[in-house]
């Protein structure tokens, strides 16, 4: 055959095997990274689609005109459409808050999509939530909406809105 000893062939086979294992691990790591990017993009698309909901748009339209800290009684006095709007706003942003907390959706993405709205709506509906929690004897009602609102207010006060921040960046170039 050839003059290469069997031990050399065995060593070459081990090197090739180790190289195959390393290549396989690198491919797996790359695929995991790609999967995470795809998952993040899917979450972003789903979150963005939330804002195409006619129900949420109608609810936000009604709620933007209520004063900050409106109570449960005041919401009910305005009619059932206002109470439904408050529930729609709360439950929509409740879902977003939980997705952020569980690190399924990045905070930055959610705040870029809805930070100002969440901040405003949670401020307007804070008293309503407290009243509803007491009435329903359910202290966790809207907890993730409240949490997301608190986060949004804190972060939004640290940095200027995108339209100002981006204009400043473009002017400085």
């Amino acid at each position: 055959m050839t003059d290469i000893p069997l031990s050399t062939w065995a060593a070459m086979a081990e090197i090739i095997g180790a190289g195959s294992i390393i290549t396989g691990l690198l491919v797996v790591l790359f695929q995991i990274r790609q999967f995470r990017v795809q998952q993040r993009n899917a979450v972003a698309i789903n979150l963005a689609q939330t804002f195409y909901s006619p129900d949420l748009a109608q609810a936000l339209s009604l709620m933007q005109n209520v004063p900050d800290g409106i109570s449960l009684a005041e919401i009910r006095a305005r009619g059932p459409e206002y109470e439904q709007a408050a529930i729609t706003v709360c439950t929509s942003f409740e879902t977003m808050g939980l997705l952020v907390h569980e690190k399924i959706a990045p905070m930055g993405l959610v705040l870029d999509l809805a930070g100002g709205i969440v901040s405003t709506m949670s401020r307007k509906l804070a008293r309503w939530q407290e009243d509803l929690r007491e009435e329903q004897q359910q202290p966790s009602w809207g907890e993730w909406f409240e949490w997301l609102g608190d986060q949004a207010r804190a972060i939004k006060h640290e940095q200027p809105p995108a339209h100002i921040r981006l204009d400043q960046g473009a002017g400085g170039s």
Side-chain angles (χ1 to χ4, degrees), residues 9-171:
W9 285 109
M12 287 173 47
E14 283 186 39
I15 291 169
I16 291 170
S20 296
I21 291 171
I22 291 170
T23 301
L25 288 173
L26 291 174
V27 168
V28 166
L29 290 173
F30 177 76
Q31 287 178 331
I32 289 171
R33 186 174 183 274
Q34 288 302 109
F35 175 74
R36 287 183 180 153
V37 168
Q38 289 174 347
Q39 185 181 29
R40 182 182 186 277
N41 290 343
V43 167
I45 290 166
N46 287 333
L47 286 174
Q49 287 175 342
T50 300
F51 293 99
Y52 292 113
S53 159
D55 292 339
L56 182 58
Q58 172 85 22
L60 290 170
S61 179
L62 284 174
M63 290 295 102
Q64 73 181 355
N65 296 315
V66 302
D68 288 0
I70 191 167
S71 70
L72 176 61
E74 291 169 320
I75 288 274
R76 286 182 175 160
R78 289 174 179 246
E81 67 275 13
Y82 280 85
E83 189 165 15
Q84 180 61 46
I87 291 170
T88 298
V89 167
C90 180
T91 56
S92 296
F93 294 127
E94 175 86 353
T95 301
M96 287 184 195
L98 181 58
L99 290 173
V100 169
H101 183 266
E102 294 298 319
K103 297 182 181 12
I104 296 168
M107 176 70 81
L109 174 67
V110 170
L111 293 184
D112 283 347
L113 281 170
I117 296 168
V118 170
S119 178
T120 300
M121 289 298 125
S122 68
R123 188 181 66 234
K124 288 179 176 291
L125 294 173
R127 170 82 188 279
W128 168 80
Q129 276 191 260
E130 290 173 18
D131 294 348
L132 193 58
R133 286 172 179 160
E134 187 175 315
E135 178 188 87
Q136 298 294 318
Q137 298 177 357
Q138 184 53 266
S140 64
W141 171 269
E143 64 189 329
W144 296 113
F145 171 44
E146 181 178 342
W147 176 82
L148 186 61
D150 292 344
Q151 302 304 307
R153 279 190 300 282
I155 292 170
K156 288 295 183 180
H157 283 103
E158 292 175 4
Q159 60 183 344
H163 68 279
I164 295 171
R165 188 174 64 245
L166 296 176
D167 284 348
Q168 290 171 347

